[in-house]
Amino acid sequence: MNFQKITERIYYLPATEETDRPILGYIKGTKHSLMLDAGNSPAHVALYNAAREEMGFQTPDYVAITHWHWDHTYGMCAVEGKVIAHELTNQQLKIMASWKWTEEAMAERLQTGEEIEFCDNCIRLEYKDPGQIRVKTADITFNGAITIDLGDIHCELIHIGGPHSKDSVAVYIPEEKVLFIGDAEGPDYYHNDGKYDKNKLQKFMEDLQEIDFEIYMMGHGTPDTKENTIKYLEEEISKLS
Ligand SMILES: [Zn+2]
């Protein structure tokens, strides 16, 4: 699988559905580069690195995490760059780092609702032996927002929250007017049965309108325009009571 180009300095490895692998971004500065999300496993990171080397791009110095969900974070044990996550994301990573991966412990988490069936299934497809899972915490944490200077290009990590997960972070690259949103736009499958909370979706849309971007990149999607995104969200909001 190859990197897809968004702009001259921004690329991504496409998402795949079988084991719910999200897109993994690459933002290329003149001094440093940044990986967007850590993927769902060391195998996913290896695929990313092969595609990156094919382009002749350097190893990312930083890895920005969009939210705590396994598919975006369980590759953290295999990345080389410093991992940057929101304080809330890191709190959940700390909890997951203590999880046991025995059949018994996995079944119990499904019982308590700590884990959901969709993810449990995908984890079992991604890992022949879930006992090999190693969850790590971040190297750098922040609250609110943090800006990383990659050299002539900046990544602004903005805590946007939204309907999907309260820790969601958007990564905005002002020089290219690109916004990586992770899964922030989606509904919450852990606490709201995969249904939208109207107020959260409305607030999320208003927050998006404030950001001066042209290309919108979802965690499991392909590039879209701001116009399409706002139009879609307005329609979704109008369907909710
Ligand atoms: Zn998610």
Side-chain angles (χ1 to χ4, degrees), residues 204-216:
F204 174 73
M205 187 191 70
E206 288 167 9
D207 287 344
L208 284 188
Q209 280 170 320
E210 295 293 308
I211 304 172
D212 181 23
F213 66 95
E214 285 168 6
I215 301 169
Y216 183 76

Side-chain angles (χ1 to χ4, degrees), residues 84-147:
I84 310 166
H86 190 270
E87 196 61 56
L88 288 173
T89 307
N90 209 41
Q91 278 173 22
Q92 186 62 27
L93 289 171
K94 265 182 213 156
I95 292 169
M96 292 192 294
S98 71
W99 282 2
K100 301 273 181 289
W101 292 95
T102 58
E103 279 300 324
E104 204 183 2
M106 289 176 79
E108 198 183 319
R109 286 197 291 274
L110 285 175
Q111 280 287 320
T112 59
E114 267 185 298
E115 190 51 278
I116 56 173
E117 210 157 321
F118 175 73
C119 294
D120 185 80
N121 287 336
C122 290
I123 287 169
R124 288 169 191 278
L125 287 173
E126 179 68 31
Y127 294 89
K128 276 197 193 94
D129 171 13
Q132 291 179 333
I133 292 170
R134 296 285 172 270
V135 181
K136 281 187 65 178
T137 53
D139 300 299
I140 300 162
T141 60
F142 68 98
N143 271 305
I146 188 171
T147 300

Side-chain angles (χ1 to χ4, degrees), residues 67 69 71-72 164 183:
H67 64 302
H69 292 164
D71 47 324
H72 303 258
H164 184 67
D183 299 346

Side-chain angles (χ1 to χ4, degrees), residues 34 44 65 76 80 94-95 152 159 203 223 235 239:
L34 180 141
H44 192 194
I65 302 294
M76 276 169 62
E80 288 173 59
K94 265 182 213 156
I95 292 169
D152 301 313
H159 180 215
K203 163 88 168 54
E235 281 167 13
K239 287 187 223 159

Side-chain angles (χ1 to χ4, degrees), residues 152-173:
D152 301 313
I153 190 165
H154 296 77
C155 290
E156 295 178 12
L157 280 57
I158 306 160
H159 180 215
I160 196 159
H164 184 67
S165 186
K166 64 180 180 185
D167 64 323
S168 283
V169 164
V171 178
Y172 175 53
I173 300 104

